[in-house]
Amino acid sequence: MDEILQKIISALDEGEDEQISLLVRQALAIGFEPMTILENALVPAMTRVGEKFACGEYFLPNLIVSAEAMKQAMFVLEPVMRQRQQMLKRAGVAVIGTVQGDIHEIGKTLVGTMLSVNGFEVHDLGVDVTPEKFVSAVAETGANLLGLSALLTTTMTVQRDVIQKLEDAGIREQVKVIVGGAPVTRAWADEIGADGYAEDAIGAVEIARRLLDVEGII
Amino acid sequence: MSQKILSAIDPKLRVSVLSEDEIRRIHTATMDVLETIGVRFPSEKALNILEAHGAQVDRETMIAKIPGVIAEEHLSRAPSTYTLCGLEPDFDLPLDGSHSYLGTDGCGVEIIDAFTQEKRPSTKRDVSDVGRVADALPEIAFHWVPLSAQDCPVESRGLHELDAIWNVSGKHLQTESIVSEREMRFAVEMAALLAGGREALRRRPVLSIMQCTISPLCHDAGSLEAALVAAEAGLPVGFMTMASCASTGPATLAGNLVVGNVEVLSALVLLQMAYPGCPVYYAAAQTATDLRTGAYTGGGPADYLFGAATNLLADFYRLPLSMGAFATGAKQPDWQAGVDNSLSAFMAASTGADMLLGAGLLHGSRIFSYEELLMDSEIWNMLCATLRGIVVDDETLALEVIRQVGPGGHYLAHRHTLKHMRELWQPTLMDRRPYSVWEEKRDGAREWAREKAQKILREHPGRPLEDGLRSELMKIIALAEQLS
Ligand code: B1M
């Protein structure tokens, strides 16, 4: 395989996000098709990172720096692909955040990372996000997945408010809503009319893929 | 203090995990971060106070940089000893540097029912039931609101939790679930009612407050403003860092200590600027992130080391410490819970942490188990005996007794044995029976712990408040609900 693709693979493996942007630019400059870079370097490299994580060789920080590097590589590739009218097949577009009144961040961020590693375009709204903000982000991005994290018994009720606000805005049918966080249970998800519940980030990806009928990654 | 509470007193056994030089280096690094990187205080009220006292404040980022000398000066105003009071003076807990007390863990979201063994979301009734059991256990010196009262309205839930405990127990109460200025004002009203007025509350704080910092290097507006209200009323207030190695703190333990130290001190400095001399405490529950799942469960060597190291830091600043111990990711009261909780409590208590939190919760402080509460209490009982160490004097050397028994024979019938045998620690949950007895019954610590809890729940009425106070408390809560 070409040396430059090999370098992209190892930059992604090691999560060298600055280096990877340079390398992808270089590859484009010497004539590689964006699709080739994606399919022959980035995707297989990310899959390998995922496998290494699954078998315990890699830890979460490995996964996160590689996902970050992937994002940087896509920043370079996407405009070029758009120019050439090449469509990127996404697993889905997700809006995620921790609900209003709640500042617990790490779990939500992990869910976001795992979704993006698995081919979702992720819009992470951060923490302490109002229902209105969730609704307008769904409307603006055309998301088909909404992830609501709540870690407090006093804020999990906001998950219900968000679903209600989606109904009011007439866009409830557009998105699958998944919920999670320490006090959240499957029973709670059913009670508030969410489409899915997951106990951890990997479960969140599984349920998202099931709800949206996604196969394979990217 | 009364004999009603078992505490570790002046541990003879001392663990030292940091040298004086190492503590100084952590301190110097802390002052550097405080002064040059700063901490985010997303509250105008807090920023105004900080700025007025010489901190450099950026209104846009809401980051305050506090010069080291200013921080040190304000910290030195904090009292290094004071007393956490019970509704009954018998339960007063002097934080005098020579006692370590154990409290229940706080704010779980599910409970394993004492009778049905079913796991379910917690209610106000559960808060009160756990409060009764904790009231009856001498090992438990104070309550942390153990569970969330999920059947109560969101806007007054924290107040219902206080009400539930005060209606069953005279022990000191600490809460971590009141994180808004509005709710805190009502909590202060409730505490003042029980203490006999605002001034009496200042003298006898029957309630203390725990807030969390947001690692790395941030605070929460609600928590800060609630803390200011409590400090103004003279309630002891602590800020707890939960910096977690490799996610919200550096992967290295020393760096994690620095980040946590900056967060806690910055909040305490703010309180001292606002109300010089108000009682505050250092609180910490740092851990290492689980590298496979990202989970924050507590447990493991990083926790044990933090437990000991943080107390050395708190001592350096002459502040009482509340240390998160007894934290475990175990799902049941099992080997993992036993190892985690014994070692974390040992490390924290052997350095003299004033308050230890954590009895009773499993699965990263999420699920309350009565069995675990009883087992944790037994661990604490054992540790108190261990930390007392070995007394060496003429009576305990027992030379005369050894001479009398001589080679061979035994000490079973000696007066010296009868005199001292009750100083030897006695288990209530450890299984030392013959094998055949066990084989027949196949029971053990868990069953005995459960039975003990059930017995207390059936027989111990708690210490109900008189009707007048009870209804006055409810009136305050009703007002809080009306005004929200
Ligand atoms: C969209 O679909 C999905 C699907 C799956 C989803 C999902 C969304 N979101 C999460 N998941 C799932 O996947 C994730 C990855 O596997 C998982 O996410 P998690 O977030 O569970 O897991 C993370 C990877 C690691 N876990 C965590 O980060 C949370 C761990 C615990 C210990 C915890 C932490 C660390 C913190 N806390 Co907080 N905290 C606790 C937590 C108890 C616990 N063990 O859960 C809990 C939730 N906290 C609690 C409390 C009380 C509080 N905390 C507070 C603050 C904090 C810290 C800032 C110190 C820190 C968070 C740091 C940060 N930057 O995020 C305060 C909240 C203030 C506020 N307004 O929000 C404060 C109120 C304390 C105070 N007085 O200040 C308790 C809640 C009790 C209740 N009544 O609800 C608590 C159960 C601990 C306890 N027993 O006291 C899954 O839940």
Side-chain angles (χ1 to χ4, degrees):
Chain A
M1 187 186 294
D2 201 279
E3 195 187 341
I4 186 98
L5 295 189
Q6 206 52 51
K7 278 191 184 155
I8 291 176
I9 289 177
S10 56
L12 191 123
D13 189 76
E14 282 156 31
E16 300 279 2
D17 51 359
E18 280 175 30
Q19 181 129 25
I20 206 163
S21 312
L22 284 176
L23 288 168
V24 171
R25 274 197 201 95
Q26 264 177 30
L28 288 170
I30 58 175
F32 276 98
E33 273 297 317
M35 270 308 180
T36 312
I37 301 174
L38 194 64
E39 283 171 4
N40 293 352
L42 296 172
V43 172
M46 199 65 223
T47 308
R48 250 192 49 210
V49 170
E51 284 164 6
K52 286 185 184 171
F53 176 70
C55 75
E57 183 183 341
Y58 273 7
F59 289 144
L60 264 180
N62 296 107
L63 202 62
I64 287 171
V65 292
S66 291
E68 195 49 44
M70 183 75 165
K71 213 153 104 198
Q72 294 307 320
M74 294 311 292
F75 275 146
V76 181
L77 280 186
E78 260 173 327
V80 183
M81 292 176 73
R82 233 174 287 130
Q83 240 173 32
R84 301 186 189 177
Q85 314 230 308
Q86 293 167 335
M87 290 294 288
L88 188 66
K89 216 174 122 241
R90 287 285 194 192
V93 178
V95 166
I96 63 161
T98 303
V99 300
Q100 184 172 21
D102 200 324
I103 51 73
H104 292 89
E105 177 147 35
I106 304 298
K108 176 270 301 162
T109 302
L110 283 183
V111 170
T113 303
M114 291 309 271
L115 285 171
S116 90
V117 165
N118 284 280
F120 282 80
E121 177 182 320
V122 176
H123 300 266
D124 185 340
L125 306 184
V127 299
D128 195 9
V129 180
T130 58
E132 292 74 19
K133 243 171 141 179
F134 278 116
V135 172
S136 58
V138 168
E140 278 160 28
T141 59
N144 53 4
L145 183 72
L146 175 62
L148 305 172
S149 185
L151 271 278
L152 299 173
T153 58
T154 46
T155 58
M156 56 198 276
T157 49
V158 181
Q159 293 176 328
R160 180 178 15 220
D161 301 344
V162 177
I163 294 176
Q164 187 55 49
K165 288 251 156 53
L166 286 172
E167 302 260 8
D168 297 348
I171 52 174
R172 177 66 184 91
E173 296 307 311
Q174 170 192 327
V175 282
K176 298 291 182 194
V177 179
I178 61 170
V179 294
V184 176
T185 57
R186 197 174 307 273
W188 171 251
D190 291 343
E191 187 183 326
I192 63 170
D195 300 297
Y197 156 80
E199 203 195 328
D200 65 5
I202 293 172
V205 174
E206 274 167 19
I207 184 84
R209 290 164 62 125
R210 186 138 39 85
L211 289 170
L212 299 174
D213 244 340
V214 181
E215 287 162 27
I217 63 163
I218 302 197
Chain B
M1 202 189 60
S2 91
Q3 295 305 306
K4 287 185 181 172
I5 284 174
L6 178 73
S7 61
I9 306 168
D10 278 329
K12 202 173 169 191
L13 221 73
R14 283 275 172 174
V15 165
S16 165
V17 294
L18 294 171
S19 68
E20 269 177 38
D21 182 50
E22 287 164 339
I23 294 171
R24 284 233 157 256
R25 288 192 65 178
I26 291 172
H27 170 66
T28 308
T30 299
M31 292 299 134
D32 191 349
V33 175
L34 210 48
E35 198 166 319
T36 65
I37 303 172
V39 177
R40 204 153 83 85
F41 289 80
S43 148
E44 289 297 333
K45 204 172 275 180
L47 290 174
N48 291 343
I49 296 167
L50 288 158
E51 197 167 49
H53 290 83
Q56 187 195 325
V57 167
D58 181 330
R59 294 280 165 170
E60 198 155 316
T61 59
M62 304 192 114
I63 290 175
K65 297 178 179 168
I66 310 173
V69 280
I70 294 184
E72 285 177 4
E73 180 199 324
H74 287 282
L75 277 178
S76 71
R77 305 207 165 119
S80 48
T81 63
Y82 52 89
T83 298
L84 301 178
C85 295
L87 293 182
E88 297 172 21
D90 264 358
F91 293 127
D92 282 3
L93 309 173
L95 304 183
D96 54 8
S98 58
H99 290 79
S100 293
Y101 307 105
L102 174 63
T104 48
D105 205 342
C107 236
V109 295
E110 289 185 299
I111 183 167
I112 300 172
D113 190 280
F115 294 95
T116 64
Q117 294 301 293
E118 172 210 7
K119 177 166 82 58
R120 53 174 174 76
S122 52
T123 62
K124 182 171 182 180
R125 173 71 198 267
D126 293 319
V127 178
S128 131
D129 282 351
V130 174
R132 266 193 304 134
V133 175
D135 184 76
L137 297 173
E139 290 85 359
I140 302 297
F142 65 102
H143 304 270
W144 227 24
V145 167
L147 287 156
S148 177
Q150 293 176 69
D151 52 343
C152 298
V154 165
E155 60 281 2
S156 58
R157 191 171 290 172
L159 305 177
H160 280 283
E161 291 164 1
L162 302 181
D163 178 66
I165 298 285
W166 275 329
N167 267 299
V168 293
S169 178
K171 291 182 182 176
H172 181 77
L173 176 53
Q174 189 168 95
T175 179
E176 65 146 345
S177 50
I178 299 186
V179 290
S180 75
E181 186 177 321
R182 185 193 65 81
E183 203 173 0
M184 189 63 81
R185 291 202 185 281
F186 291 107
V188 168
E189 284 301 312
M190 291 170 73
L193 175 75
L194 296 182
R198 285 299 196 102
E199 271 321 299
L201 179 62
R202 212 172 270 288
R203 285 192 307 276
R204 292 193 51 77
V206 292
L207 176 67
S208 56
I209 304 299
M210 173 78 84
Q211 297 297 352
C212 284
T213 67
I214 307 181
S215 308
L217 306 180
C218 295
H219 293 294
D220 170 53
S223 301
L224 288 172
E225 289 165 9
L228 284 165
V229 169
E232 183 183 18
L235 300 184
V237 181
F239 271 80
M240 171 183 270
T241 176
M242 297 176 75
S244 181
C245 288
S247 65
T248 55
T252 45
L253 270 60
N256 192 298
L257 283 171
V258 172
V259 166
N261 204 28
V262 171
E263 293 163 5
V264 173
L265 295 184
S266 66
L268 302 188
V269 164
L270 168 76
L271 298 181
Q272 291 306 318
M273 285 173 168
Y275 306 106
C278 65
V280 293
Y281 57 93
Y282 196 120
Q286 316 94 327
T287 190
T289 305
D290 180 73
L291 290 174
R292 293 186 206 288
T293 61
Y296 185 114
T297 62
D303 280 35
Y304 315 151
L305 289 165
F306 283 138
T310 306
N311 196 48
L312 299 178
L313 286 176
D315 280 352
F316 180 79
Y317 299 108
R318 304 166 60 81
L319 294 167
L321 172 70
S322 164
M323 192 68 216
F326 290 90
T328 180
K331 310 293 179 278
Q332 303 185 54
D334 58 9
W335 172 82
Q336 180 181 345
V339 172
D340 273 337
N341 296 358
S342 304
L343 288 171
S344 62
F346 172 79
M347 293 292 271
S350 67
T351 49
D354 303 78
M355 293 165 263
L356 269 72
L357 296 169
L361 286 187
L362 294 166
H363 187 39
S365 307
R366 276 169 284 186
I367 303 174
F368 179 86
S369 151
Y370 285 101
E371 294 168 13
E372 188 59 35
L373 177 64
L374 271 289
M375 290 183 179
D376 285 341
S377 297
E378 177 112 329
I379 290 174
W380 182 238
N381 204 308
M382 225 182 300
L383 285 179
C384 289
T386 310
L387 292 167
R388 243 172 262 141
I390 297 171
V391 180
V392 182
D393 57 24
D394 288 348
E395 174 70 12
T396 62
L397 280 170
L399 201 53
E400 215 25 63
V401 187
I402 297 170
R403 198 183 312 282
Q404 285 163 17
V405 175
H410 60 74
Y411 293 87
L412 279 169
H414 203 286
R415 285 280 142 202
H416 184 268
T417 300
L418 285 173
K419 186 169 167 202
H420 290 286
M421 66 181 183
R422 287 182 197 282
E423 294 157 22
L424 295 170
W425 185 78
Q426 287 308 304
T428 63
L429 301 178
M430 295 281 168
D431 191 353
R432 295 169 170 180
R433 298 167 300 174
Y435 193 88
S436 56
V437 175
W438 171 80
E439 202 169 29
E440 195 183 312
K441 299 197 165 146
R442 297 207 177 249
D443 58 359
R446 285 188 63 172
E447 288 75 19
W448 303 333
R450 194 186 315 149
E451 282 160 18
K452 223 168 137 178
Q454 289 173 349
K455 185 166 156 45
I456 298 173
L457 283 171
R458 272 194 302 262
E459 295 172 7
H460 183 51
R463 298 160 211 276
L465 292 170
E466 47 185 90
D467 290 347
L469 285 176
R470 204 185 176 91
S471 63
E472 287 299 313
L473 280 183
M474 280 319 288
K475 272 191 203 149
I476 299 176
I477 297 179
L479 189 63
E481 285 164 1
Q482 256 170 41
L483 295 181
S484 73

